[in-house]
Every structure is written in C-alpha cells, then in structure tokens.
Amino acid sequence: MRRIQLGGSQRTFAAVGLGCMGMSWGYDELGRDDNESVAVIRHAVELGVDLIDTADQYGPFTNELLVGKALKGYRDRVLLATKGGLVVDDPATYRSHRDGRPEYLRAAVDASLKRLGVDHVDLYQLHRIDPAVPVEESWGALAELVKEGKLGALGLSEASAQEIGRAHAIHPVASVQSELSLWSREALTDGVVEYCARESIAFIAFAPLGRGFLSGLIGSPQDLPKADGRHRIPRFQPEAIAANAAIVDRVRAVADGLGATVAQVAIAWVLAQGEHVGVIPGTKTRRYLRDNVAAGSLTLPPQALAELAALPEAVGAR
C-alpha cells in the first residue's frame, strides 16, 4: 500500500486509514460493541493501518475514550488524529453548532488529550470553520498549541480552497479531510483535491463508501438498524435508495470483472484521484476491515476508471 506524506512534515501514513466515528456515533448506536471496536482498531494497526481518526463530537466524547483505550500499548505505532470545533447540542438528533473561538479550541484540545490519554495528538483538525470567527483566529490559536507541543500537524475539514489558503498563510495545512466517493464528488469539482495536490497537502477522504451504501449491502431503509442516523439523510430515503441502486449495479459489474468487491472498487477509485489522496473508511468488524485494507493494493485499469467516471450523479442530498 502506498504511503502519503502529511503536508509540511516528513510524517507519512498508509493510504487506507480507519475512521472510528461509526463505532460510537451516527450508525446503529444501539448495536455498539466497544470490546469488538477495540479489537478492530488494534487489528487495523497490526495490518499496517496507522492513521486512526476520531473527533470529540462523536458520541459526543465517547469515541475518543474508545480510541484512547484501544491504543494503549499501540500509541507509538499510529498517527493519531482527532477533530474539534463542532459542539453537539442534541445527541438524539445530531444537531451541532460550530465554535472556532480560540478559547474554546484551547479547552477542546486539552479535553481531547485527557480523553485519549495522550500528551499530544499527531494531527488535529478543525472540524468545521466557524463563520462567526475568522479562520485566521482559529488557526492561529491551534498554531500556538503546536508550539506548545500539544499538537503535531494541523488539518481542516470540509473547507474551501480559499479557506485553506487563508489558513495555510499562517501555519502549514497538513491535511484536508472532506467527503469524497463515487457518489459525492464535490471535492473534485470544486477544486479542493487539485488545490491540495498543488500545495503538497494530504487529502483525506471520509465516507469513501458513501456511508455504507457503496458496499452494495443496502437495498432499502429496512436494511438499516432502526436507531441508525442514516434514516435522516436524504440519500437513504426509499426513493433515493431505489434510484441510486443503479450506481451500485454498475460498480458491481466493474468489481465482478476484477474479482473484487463493490466496496474495494469504491475505495480504489477514491485512491486513484491522486497520489496525495488517502481514505478513512469506517467499520465495526474485522472482516470488513481486512477487505478495506486490501483495497489499498487494488489498481483500477483505464477501462474501469472510464466506466466509473461515467456513473450518474447520486439522487438526494448527502
């Protein structure tokens, strides 16, 4: 599996990382199994996965506690990444607000370090830019925490190229984490992936499997657990699922021709968007973890890439 360099540093990470959100937040919260999730995280490290991604929002807070527990004895083998700047107002509805005030971010970093049980985080990401606070102020506060040794590299999440540039002028932007998949291509069309390549910034794609839809295992809302947060997403409504099945069918045809799974082709397509592009698919099982990691070694031939480029746009907002 290829390795990706964090912008502005000599630190690298394997192209397929592990997103830990779904272990505690958003997906089937009633079916949480923290013991299995700990086993999944440790197995990922044993397989060579070294980018482990969490956030204080997830839970809220419980996912960082879970990751901290899982990484005891494994800390020096991973690039530990977390995020701050989204504050949960109502866990039941996932309603959150942005807070990029310097004083809030300083307190959030200290709280994350305590929950994770570490003295520093390798990659700290501003989860969303607060429109009420100039990004320069938020970024400047985080840059001070780098100088203090609490944070290693700094990243942004779901930021525009202009916003990335404003932050980059103050302190190096090491990474940008945004959604990118076969059914969410905005990061390509709005120029963010290209901008990151030009500025030697790592691009980390979250939800490369379309929140599980591109695994090919979701044919109707009934395939989702009752307490699953995806029931609230427009793309997971009955009409949208039925329409978007055509995307999965065409990806499956490509996968069958390559002897791969639908999910592996979906991940490989994201990785094919640039040498600086990595992915953090989430999973709660060791079986799917192994499948995802194997996708890092799958090279899509030109014909497959052409077929995937011609896929229709997804129905429903992401």
Side-chain angles (χ1 to χ4, degrees):
M1 191 190 305
R2 77 165 184 261
R3 298 192 65 80
I4 296 170
Q5 187 169 343
L6 269 182
S9 77
Q10 298 301 310
R11 191 76 185 264
T12 65
F13 58 93
V16 178
L18 178 63
C20 298
M21 182 193 79
M23 297 174 178
S24 310
W25 168 262
Y27 305 158
D28 188 20
E29 292 178 40
L30 296 179
R32 278 179 54 187
D33 184 340
D34 286 355
N35 289 332
E36 176 61 17
S37 292
V38 166
V40 168
I41 293 170
R42 291 176 176 173
H43 189 47
V45 178
E46 290 161 359
L47 291 174
V49 172
D50 52 2
L51 173 56
I52 306 297
D53 183 85
T54 181
D56 61 5
Q57 183 202 29
Y58 305 155
F61 312 130
T62 54
N63 197 242
E64 285 187 325
L65 290 167
L66 173 72
V67 169
K69 176 181 178 181
L71 292 182
K72 288 181 179 177
Y74 292 77
R75 175 65 182 94
D76 61 353
R77 298 170 61 180
V78 304
L79 192 157
L80 176 58
T82 192
K83 300 179 282 293
L86 275 180
V87 183
V88 177
D89 300 310
D90 182 4
T93 63
Y94 306 102
R95 182 167 55 86
S96 304
H97 71 273
R98 306 181 186 197
D99 195 336
R101 294 172 299 143
E103 60 269 27
Y104 171 77
L105 291 173
R106 292 190 187 99
V109 167
D110 285 340
S112 287
L113 293 175
K114 184 176 181 179
R115 284 188 292 269
L116 290 163
V118 298
D119 60 5
H120 75 283
V121 168
D122 301 309
L123 174 62
Y124 192 84
Q125 301 151 104
L126 184 59
H127 210 157
R128 295 291 187 275
I129 292 174
D130 184 347
V133 180
V135 66
E136 290 84 355
E137 293 185 16
S138 302
W139 204 247
L142 294 176
E144 291 176 5
L145 293 173
V146 172
K147 293 179 181 177
E148 293 175 18
K150 293 181 178 180
L151 306 178
L154 300 180
L156 289 165
S157 181
E158 293 278 281
S160 69
Q162 181 187 43
E163 291 168 331
I164 299 166
R166 288 168 58 189
H168 205 44
I170 294 173
H171 183 89
V173 176
S175 66
V176 172
Q177 183 180 136
S178 293
E179 186 167 356
L180 178 60
S181 71
L182 284 167
W183 77 344
S184 294
R185 306 189 186 205
E186 293 89 344
L188 293 173
T189 57
D190 66 14
V192 168
V193 173
E194 180 183 1
Y195 180 88
C196 289
R198 189 164 63 247
E199 297 296 324
S200 299
I201 297 170
F203 183 91
I204 302 170
F206 73 80
L209 297 178
R211 295 178 170 82
F213 189 80
L214 296 172
S215 68
L217 301 176
I218 301 172
S220 75
Q222 285 68 45
D223 293 327
L224 299 173
K226 290 183 179 180
D228 198 295
R230 286 170 288 187
H231 287 293
R232 301 173 57 254
I233 299 176
R235 285 189 188 174
F236 287 90
Q237 302 311 303
E239 298 81 3
I241 287 179
N244 291 325
I247 296 176
V248 174
D249 289 343
R250 290 171 64 173
V251 179
R252 183 175 286 110
V254 172
D256 289 345
L258 297 174
T261 67
V262 175
Q264 287 172 335
V265 168
I267 290 172
W269 178 85
V270 176
L271 295 177
Q273 303 313 304
E275 292 296 314
H276 65 305
V277 176
V279 295
I280 48 169
T283 182
K284 293 189 283 187
T285 71
R286 281 170 272 188
R287 171 194 168 190
Y288 290 134
L289 169 69
R290 290 189 289 269
D291 286 348
N292 293 345
V293 171
S297 302
L298 176 62
T299 300
L300 299 177
Q303 179 60 34
L305 289 170
E307 293 178 28
L308 297 171
L311 289 174
E313 292 188 7
V315 173
R318 70 181 175 95

